Amino acid sequence: MQPTLASPLRDAVGDKTAKALIEKLDLHTVGDLLHHYPRRYAERGEVSDLGALEIGEHVTVAAKIDKITVRPMRQKPRSKMLEVTVTDGRRYLQLTFFNQAWRERQLTIGRWGLFSGKVGQFRDKLQLNQPDYQLLAEPGELADSQGSDVLAEFANALIPVYPAAANVPTWTIARAVRATLDILADVDDPMPEAIRRRRHLPDLDGALRAIHQPASKEDLYRAKYRLKWDEAFGLQATLAQRRLAAAARPATARPPRLGGLLEAFDAALPFALTEGQARIGDEIADDLAAEHPMHRLLQGEVGSGKTVVAIRAMLQIVDSGGQAALLAPTEVLAAQHARSIRAMLGPMARAGELDAAETATRVALLTGSLAAAPRRAALAEAADGSAGIVVGTHALLSEGVEFADLGLVVVDEQHRFGVEQRDALRAKGGETPPHVLVMTATPIPRTVAMTVFGDLETSALTQLPSGRSPIATSVVPVAEKPGWLARAWQRVNEEVAAGHQAYIVCPRIGEATAEEEDELDGADDPNLEPPPEDEGTAKRPPLAVLEVAPKLAEGPLTDLRIGILHGKLPPDEKDAVMSDFAAHRLDVLVATTVIEVGVDVPNSTAMVIMDADRFGVSQLHQLRGRVGRGSAAGLCLLVTDAPAGTKARERLDAVASTTDGFELAQLDLEQRREGDVLGVAQSGRRSRLKLLSLIQDEDVIKDARTEATTLVSEDPELRAHPGLAAAVDALVDPDAADYLEKT
Ligand code: ADP
Ligand code: MG
């Protein structure tokens, strides 16, 4: 019987090869092997760029033999060492073989081959020690090598180069693939005919063959298009299924109530809602009044006023007798939210107290660092329902936290919470699941919204409240213009003299090892990962809060009241510093990125970011969002010693040139590795998206989403398409669907 995609590998290749593929590459079935796509294709006569090699990497390079030397080894004069130098025409790579002088007969100058091994270094030269290799047939040889396995592998114009493993070099994989394709039964195409026709998709059988053995570049392009489509479709079908399943669950309807807290709150608001706030507010009000749970993502430009939208949703829940929980990523932010919600509600938040309004509720704050007594009080208020709003950090998720009737979960600055945490809170909803509103601080490129958050309905706040002055951002290049730094401190003094406040941000806390700091200040957050080091990053350690603050206090900012804030401070101290700053008992806050998200002190008008090149683009945009909050003009200075013309400087110039967060998010996406976007890197799980790129394949993703959504809405389980259902399952297992939400 001919093997199919589901057959075990042993049905297609020899036992020894099958064993190696299973053990080293985790490939078990014929389908696994055929979905192990080449990483790239070497073209006959085309050589690899030896300049791109990195030490420690396992590589396969195509290069030409340039020089051969045989010499006795110094320690063992009777042993011979064979040194072969290969070249890409510009650079050289050394290959060394010990006691294998016979290879000299094979390896002759001018021959072209593939060489595979781990890149090492010896006396400043890159080398491959004892590499595997395959010499490529000379054009003349090809003719009489019919039937020769080794040469036939390279007979194609485009030579597949596979992700390989130690002892399973790319040609072993190529040979296994070829043997498999020779005997494989025609692959049934699970994609419905109508979709294939509408989207001009080549058939699966041809695509699988062509990606391994492309006859031409066009052939390869078409094959890749089809296989990318399958990935996008599988993803979108899963997300559509999740949306459908979520919408089918029952929830308690929480319609707005006349004469309630929400009405009073709106009446007391010191400003008019923006058009976007009002429109999204209506959408959410309708969602909450429905008998199925809301799952909505609210994304918005920094400072667009998401918090007000969230508070209004929470008040609608309280008005209808339920409770709302607001989950914040840091204690600083949780405390700030509780403080500002209480302030905005005034007597409406003081139920049980003398001056309480008639309809009043209470706002409880629950964080990990609370002392025993206030913690007990907060827990009691949550459990008996007297707190209509419970604000907290992930302490809210812990056992022992109970709600009388949880109707809404709001997750602020979502990117720091994974899906498990959302689920944990959702589980506290008792009989019916609560509605969920997720807010994200960073504007998200469209493709990411469609994939990573594809199971949520999305709303976007693009407009800032009126009366905001734009933030002016400038790069302060200390290497070229040393005088500008002094001018920066002068500007800070001027802002303070005018009654305003300022932030100074440093990448590091100081007085701690880098590792310790990694655990603090959200450095483990994949979205905030500083960009990879590039030529602009100086080798000295980044500037630190604990070192910069005293220098400023003794030097250029000597007359100002300076506070420091970072993740290593005890929580009550953090809270005290933040309150002092909010109440203008401090002029300047020297801080790490703890202030990055959410911190809202409208009187702050200036921010100086030290070693700005150490931060990512979106992160810088977030940070400066802290100073565009009041009516006075905001100023953000990006201090760097990265030289002009480097990538680091380009990033900073981009941030300085636009305040459009969506544009910057797109730029950030392009600079980050894909795996990071999908959260694969940190979960350690193997990504099943091999070809699809969130950056380049927006159209594929969009089309696949349309088709998948239609198909799934007609046939949620894909019963009419069992093959497709299986393919979707294989592509996106439940674990994988989870990590898609975790960025
Ligand atoms: P973000 O969307 O970044 O979380 P916030 O919710 O913190 O933004 O709001 C930023 C600031 O704008 C706050 O000080 C808030 O009170 C204020 N604000 C929100 N909505 C409006 C509005 N419609 N008009 C004026 N100011 C507003
Ligand atoms: Mg916010």
Side-chain angles (χ1 to χ4, degrees):
M1 226 184 59
Q2 283 180 293
T4 64
L5 293 186
S7 306
L9 267 180
R10 276 188 174 73
D11 291 0
V13 301
D15 272 359
K16 190 160 150 266
T17 307
K19 191 159 173 279
L21 292 171
I22 291 168
E23 282 173 9
K24 306 285 187 191
L25 291 168
D26 201 20
L27 305 173
H28 299 266
T29 64
V30 166
D32 289 345
L33 176 64
L34 294 185
H35 285 105
H36 187 75
Y37 307 133
R39 190 204 303 284
R40 61 190 172 82
Y41 301 82
E43 276 181 83
R44 176 163 296 283
E46 176 195 273
V47 286
S48 311
D49 178 7
L50 295 180
L53 299 183
E54 280 178 40
I55 291 174
E57 219 183 5
H58 196 99
V59 298
T60 301
V61 300
K64 205 165 97 176
I65 298 178
D66 184 62
K67 199 171 98 189
I68 295 162
T69 332
V70 185
R71 62 158 142 256
M73 289 176 68
R74 211 162 294 149
Q75 272 89 19
K76 296 192 250 164
R78 270 198 285 151
S79 305
K80 295 264 194 285
M81 182 162 87
L82 175 65
E83 279 178 4
V84 178
T85 307
V86 298
T87 181
D88 61 2
R90 263 156 45 90
R91 293 189 183 75
Y92 297 88
L93 176 68
Q94 191 121 315
L95 318 177
T96 49
F97 300 93
F98 300 101
N99 267 336
Q100 297 179 344
W102 54 271
R103 290 201 189 273
E104 207 185 332
R105 283 193 301 279
Q106 291 190 337
L107 299 164
T108 51
I109 290 174
R111 280 200 75 162
W112 197 69
L114 294 179
F115 305 91
S116 176
K118 199 164 143 191
V119 181
Q121 195 175 22
F122 183 68
R123 294 211 182 109
D124 289 346
K125 279 193 206 150
L126 292 185
Q127 70 163 14
L128 301 182
N129 201 356
Q130 307 272 44
D132 284 318
Y133 62 87
Q134 290 279 291
L135 295 175
L136 301 192
E138 304 291 332
E141 265 176 306
L142 257 188
D144 25 272
S145 69
Q146 295 304 331
S148 155
D149 248 13
V150 174
L151 295 179
E153 255 136 55
F154 301 110
N156 288 324
L158 294 166
I159 302 160
V161 179
Y162 289 92
N167 302 326
V168 194
T170 173
W171 39 87
T172 301
I173 301 167
R175 193 178 302 144
V177 166
R178 203 156 44 81
T180 303
L181 289 178
D182 281 349
I183 54 171
L184 183 71
D186 271 358
V187 177
D188 283 334
D189 198 328
M191 192 62 63
E193 176 76 43
I195 295 182
R196 268 193 283 154
R197 225 175 313 114
R198 216 168 15 243
R199 304 294 172 181
H200 308 290
L201 301 176
D203 73 291
L204 183 60
D205 187 79
L208 277 178
R209 290 173 195 275
I211 193 147
H212 295 286
Q213 303 179 334
S216 64
K217 288 202 172 155
E218 293 69 43
D219 202 24
L220 180 60
Y221 176 85
R222 285 167 52 78
K224 277 194 174 166
Y225 187 84
R226 166 59 205 254
L227 296 169
K228 274 182 196 173
W229 170 274
D230 285 1
E231 292 181 358
F233 187 89
L235 199 67
Q236 295 300 340
T238 308
L239 292 167
Q241 285 167 335
R242 288 167 75 96
R243 286 198 303 273
L244 222 60
R249 278 184 227 131
T252 308
R254 317 272 183 175
R257 188 165 61 82
L258 290 180
L261 286 168
L262 177 55
E263 249 182 45
F265 176 82
D266 281 347
L269 257 187
F271 45 71
L273 295 177
T274 62
E275 183 274 323
Q277 285 171 322
R279 178 174 39 82
I280 293 170
D282 289 345
E283 270 169 21
I284 293 174
D286 288 348
D287 283 356
L288 298 179
E291 281 168 353
H292 299 290
M294 169 177 81
H295 288 105
R296 188 171 286 278
L297 172 72
L298 172 56
Q299 53 168 326
E301 187 56 91
V302 189
S304 58
K306 295 183 287 289
T307 316
V308 172
V309 174
I311 294 176
R312 295 185 68 244
M314 294 196 285
L315 292 177
Q316 177 172 336
I317 298 290
V318 178
D319 279 341
S320 71
Q323 291 168 288
L326 173 58
L327 197 57
T330 63
E331 299 214 341
V332 168
L333 209 50
Q336 174 189 285
H337 276 317
R339 219 175 12 242
S340 69
I341 293 173
R342 283 183 190 132
M344 288 171 104
L345 292 179
M348 290 182 275
R350 290 197 282 270
E353 294 176 35
L354 282 179
D355 65 343
E358 207 181 316
T359 49
T361 185
R362 295 189 67 80
V363 177
L365 173 66
L366 198 68
T367 59
S369 63
L370 276 190
R375 180 177 163 80
R376 260 198 311 276
L379 284 174
E381 287 183 358
D384 68 15
S386 51
I389 295 178
V390 183
V391 183
T393 53
H394 42 262
L396 276 185
L397 308 172
S398 54
E399 280 176 41
V401 180
E402 276 168 34
F403 294 87
D405 179 16
L406 184 60
L408 171 67
V409 174
V410 179
V411 183
D412 191 16
E413 317 298 9
Q414 192 275 342
H415 59 291
R416 303 213 173 172
F417 286 107
V419 70
E420 294 108 346
Q421 280 109 328
R422 256 197 271 161
D423 284 346
L425 248 186
R426 215 178 274 171
K428 295 191 182 289
E431 260 138 59
T432 57
H435 300 280
V436 178
L437 177 65
V438 175
M439 303 198 289
T440 165
T442 332
I444 304 173
R446 271 161 49 84
T447 47
V448 178
M450 276 190 290
T451 48
V452 178
F453 299 98
D455 64 336
L456 307 176
E457 307 290 336
T458 61
S459 312
L461 272 179
T462 47
Q463 176 192 25
L464 297 186
S466 58
R468 294 276 174 82
S469 323
I471 307 166
T473 305
S474 307
V475 178
V476 177
V478 287
E480 297 129 70
K481 317 260 184 196
W484 287 20
L485 188 57
R487 175 80 190 111
W489 301 130
Q490 195 185 330
R491 287 288 289 118
V492 170
N493 276 303
E494 287 165 14
E495 288 299 319
V496 172
H500 297 303
Q501 292 160 279
Y503 300 98
I504 318 287
V505 182
C506 301
R508 201 162 60 91
I509 302 172
E511 289 175 11
T513 66
E515 254 162 292
E516 277 172 307
E517 290 197 13
D518 272 356
E519 291 162 24
L520 299 159
D521 291 357
D524 54 341
D525 181 338
N527 275 320
L528 308 176
E529 198 176 22
E533 297 220 347
D534 58 27
E535 57 308 11
T537 314
K539 288 293 169 276
R540 65 167 168 74
L543 291 171
V545 168
L546 296 177
E547 290 150 21
V548 168
K551 279 190 197 143
L552 292 174
E554 287 156 24
L557 305 184
T558 184
D559 297 329
L560 310 186
R561 297 169 296 173
I562 298 177
I564 60 175
L565 189 70
H566 58 74
K568 235 176 35 167
L569 287 181
D572 49 341
E573 224 174 290
K574 260 190 254 177
D575 206 34
V577 172
M578 227 24 245
S579 311
D580 283 349
F581 190 69
H584 203 171
R585 287 188 291 268
L586 292 170
D587 301 311
V588 172
L589 197 58
V590 183
T592 56
T593 54
V594 279
I595 59 148
E596 176 187 87
V597 284
V599 168
D600 184 32
V601 179
N603 191 44
S604 315
T605 49
M607 174 175 287
V608 181
I609 305 180
M610 307 304 290
D611 278 344
D613 49 290
R614 309 272 179 149
F615 299 97
V617 166
S618 290
Q619 197 175 13
L620 291 169
H621 182 60
Q622 273 299 313
L623 278 167
R624 76 174 155 187
R626 307 303 112 221
V627 292
R629 317 212 130 222
S631 50
L635 172 71
C636 176
L637 299 175
L638 307 173
V639 179
T640 179
D641 52 18
T646 57
K647 283 232 175 68
R649 273 289 283 283
E650 274 172 29
R651 276 203 305 275
L652 298 182
D653 289 341
V655 174
S657 71
T658 178
T659 50
D660 182 336
F662 284 90
E663 197 179 307
L664 291 172
Q666 185 69 32
L667 184 74
D668 216 14
L669 178 64
E670 281 159 23
Q671 296 202 339
R672 230 183 298 150
R673 283 161 301 154
E674 297 269 314
D676 294 347
V677 177
L678 289 176
V680 182
Q682 51 306 358
S683 77
R685 259 180 289 224
R686 195 152 66 121
S687 166
R688 297 186 181 231
L689 297 185
K690 294 173 179 144
L691 298 172
L692 192 69
S693 155
L694 294 188
I695 297 161
Q696 284 152 28
D697 298 323
E698 181 168 346
D699 288 348
V700 176
I701 293 171
K702 235 167 46 193
D703 293 350
R705 185 175 176 84
T706 307
E707 296 290 355
T709 305
T710 311
L711 198 66
V712 166
S713 67
E714 289 160 2
D715 179 7
E717 311 279 325
L718 299 178
R719 281 188 216 282
H721 308 277
L724 194 59
V728 167
D729 281 352
L731 181 80
V732 185
D733 62 27
D735 289 351
D738 278 358
Y739 78 61
L740 285 171
E741 297 184 10
K742 276 184 222 154
T743 59

